[in-house]
Amino acid sequence: VTLHLNPISSVHIHQKPLVFLLNSPLPLDWKIKTERLAPGIRRAFFVSLGSIVQFEKGNFSLSAEVEEKLFPENNEHLLQWAQKKYGAVTSFTELKISRNIYIKVGE
């Protein structure tokens, strides 16, 4: 699955930390493609057990953290867990089948 990350149109370059919880019942290979995200900013990718994260060429991976996690089983518990751990959830998306996911990040 390819995760496309771009800033919202009102933000020229996104310069804030980001945390992604990439959960799947089966292990996945996540490919991260980015545009207009400032280098050197912390971005964390937590993936379900057995999943991996690949970054496109460039230095984005130097400031990114990848960690496997055992997530709560259902989405309601996952959302509650994320809110408790991070204080807020700004976006939640559930997809049954997808090869590409497009996320706009920003204020």
Side-chain angles (χ1 to χ4, degrees), residues 6-18 37 89-91 103-107:
N6 303 314
I8 59 176
S9 60
S10 62
V11 174
H12 183 65
I13 303 274
H14 189 270
Q15 300 188 42
K16 293 186 177 180
L18 297 168
L37 287 138
V89 173
T90 57
S91 176
I103 296 181
K104 297 277 188 188
V105 297
E107 303 302 319

Side-chain angles (χ1 to χ4, degrees), residues 7 16 31 45 62 79 84 91:
K16 293 186 177 180
K31 293 178 177 71
F45 296 86
L62 296 177
L79 189 56
K84 189 175 190 178
S91 176

